[in-house]
Amino acid sequence: MTKAKKPWRRKAKKFYRLQDSPLYKLKSKKTLAKLLFTSVAALRGMADKSISHYEYWEEKKPDGSMRPLCRPHEGLDKAQSRIAYLLACIKTPDYVHAPVPKKTYVTNAAAHLGSRAFCLMDIESFYPSCREDKVLAFFYHKMQCSLDVSVLLARLCCDKGSLPQGSSSSPILSYWAYSEMWDSIHNVANEAGNVFTLYIDDLTVSGKIVSRKTIWRIQQQIHKHGLSIKAKKTRWTIDKSTDVTGVIVSPDGLKLPNRQHKKLAQSKSEFSKPGGNRKHKTNVLRGRRAQAEQILNH
């Protein structure tokens, strides 16, 4: 099946105000089903919590702990992908660099060029901490859907009371369900003369000076919404090159981190060796070079 025949897999290319979204003020389950290319009966089945709609497994993280992951079954995967597309078409504030189209980890880092001081934070157990009631509130209060449609959408997008780590709709919903919090954080940083960017659950605050009072006020907003910061992973730097979402922000511009230099060198070395899967080695080398050019040519 070609990409053209998979409308639920499309990437957002047009952007509009939240009030112009097809989901805004949606009152009919039948209309929702049409938007999601399915039937009301199918949506009810996928929203039935007495049935498992996911495959579950765990993967080891670099620190040795285990990350729980899941994969939605095909029908639910299609519905979630379509919801993700519809939400991705809604314009987001400039400080949001993921999960939104046309922005990347590179644009996130570039927003902090010229800063001397940095504070980098991320949210503890982010997706499992993004609660279903927040998702429901987003659809009901912000999107102004009817209560029954809001409940159905929240049930389709959540599992075990939170956003599932493995769903295509979780990244964009993690922004929208907590947009009030993110906006408050942006306002706190802006009032202090700092730059704030958001990359999924990575928060970066920078400027000439980043005060502990500013970060304390930001953390207050996070705690207010039932989330918390990974204290052990919070990093402070001043007057030194800083790794921001995998890109080195330096006084001389954006640079590749050492690990990426090593991967590029390794790919070149493997490519120069005779034998092996040439197509695979070519693709790997091209990918590494493209990543490097994206950073160095920004």
Side-chain angles (χ1 to χ4, degrees):
M1 189 180 286
T2 64
K3 288 184 179 179
K5 295 180 181 179
K6 291 183 178 181
W8 56 85
R9 292 295 188 196
R10 286 191 297 168
K11 292 184 178 180
K13 293 182 179 179
K14 59 181 180 179
F15 305 96
Y16 38 66
R17 301 177 309 155
L18 182 142
Q19 293 87 345
D20 296 323
S21 169
L23 291 171
Y24 187 65
K25 290 189 174 180
L26 188 61
K27 309 296 183 184
S28 163
K29 290 182 181 178
K30 186 175 181 181
T31 304
L32 175 62
K34 287 182 179 178
L35 275 175
L36 303 186
F37 307 115
T38 187
S39 67
V40 173
L43 291 181
R44 285 175 177 154
M46 288 183 276
D48 183 353
K49 298 298 185 182
S50 68
I51 303 170
S52 176
H53 300 285
Y54 296 84
E55 295 173 35
Y56 302 96
W57 72 97
E58 290 185 336
E59 287 184 2
K60 185 175 286 187
K61 295 193 285 187
D63 63 5
S65 62
M66 301 303 291
R67 176 186 287 112
L69 294 171
C70 64
R71 182 186 297 112
H73 295 165
E74 184 179 5
L76 182 56
D77 183 36
K78 291 177 180 178
Q80 290 176 344
S81 296
R82 176 63 176 166
I83 293 168
Y85 166 77
L86 293 171
L87 294 177
C89 288
I90 302 172
K91 291 178 182 177
T92 52
D94 289 341
Y95 67 79
V96 184
H97 290 263
V100 294
K102 298 187 177 181
K103 289 191 177 182
T104 66
Y105 68 103
V106 180
T107 64
N108 184 74
H112 298 277
L113 282 168
S115 293
R116 289 182 59 235
F118 295 79
C119 180
L120 302 100
M121 303 168 279
D122 60 351
I123 305 292
E124 184 79 46
S125 302
F126 187 48
Y127 288 141
S129 299
C130 291
R131 306 191 311 272
E132 185 170 343
D133 64 300
K134 284 282 193 177
V135 176
L136 172 58
F138 161 67
F139 285 118
Y140 186 56
H141 294 295
K142 199 169 188 73
M143 294 301 291
Q144 295 186 32
C145 298
S146 63
L147 181 58
D148 59 341
V149 168
S150 299
V151 169
L152 182 55
L153 281 164
R155 284 177 170 268
L156 289 170
C157 296
C158 295
D159 180 48
K160 299 178 181 179
S162 63
L163 291 177
Q165 194 154 300
S167 163
S168 56
S169 58
S170 289
I172 191 65
L173 273 170
S174 71
Y175 165 72
W176 282 115
Y178 288 83
S179 61
E180 179 185 337
M181 179 187 76
W182 302 127
D183 285 345
S184 297
I185 291 171
H186 173 259
N187 291 338
V188 169
N190 192 53
E191 287 170 10
N194 294 140
V195 176
F196 165 67
T197 61
L198 175 67
Y199 191 86
I200 308 287
D201 64 334
D202 288 331
L203 292 72
T204 306
V205 181
S206 73
K208 290 184 179 180
I209 296 173
V210 178
S211 72
R212 293 194 176 273
K213 180 180 178 181
T214 297
I215 299 305
W216 177 75
R217 289 182 63 202
I218 286 172
Q219 292 181 348
Q220 275 189 314
Q221 292 298 323
I222 292 167
H223 294 153
K224 175 183 172 182
H225 288 267
L227 302 175
S228 60
I229 289 292
K230 290 180 182 176
K232 292 182 179 179
K233 289 196 174 183
T234 298
R235 293 184 290 130
W236 296 79
T237 66
I238 187 164
D239 288 333
K240 62 183 293 187
S241 296
T242 302
D243 187 330
V244 178
T245 54
V247 179
I248 303 301
V249 179
S250 78
D252 302 320
L254 302 184
K255 296 183 178 181
L256 295 177
N258 286 335
R259 60 183 177 275
Q260 202 158 335
H261 276 295
K262 290 178 181 178
K263 288 178 180 178
L264 180 57
Q266 184 180 4
S267 298
K268 289 178 179 178
S269 175
E270 289 296 324
F271 182 79
S272 65
K273 293 177 182 178
N277 187 327
R278 298 298 294 175
K279 183 177 180 181
H280 174 71
K281 290 197 289 186
T282 299
N283 289 339
V284 170
L285 181 56
R286 283 177 178 170
R288 297 292 183 204
R289 282 176 170 166
Q291 282 183 316
E293 289 171 3
Q294 188 180 9
I295 295 171
L296 299 176
N297 296 338
H298 192 278

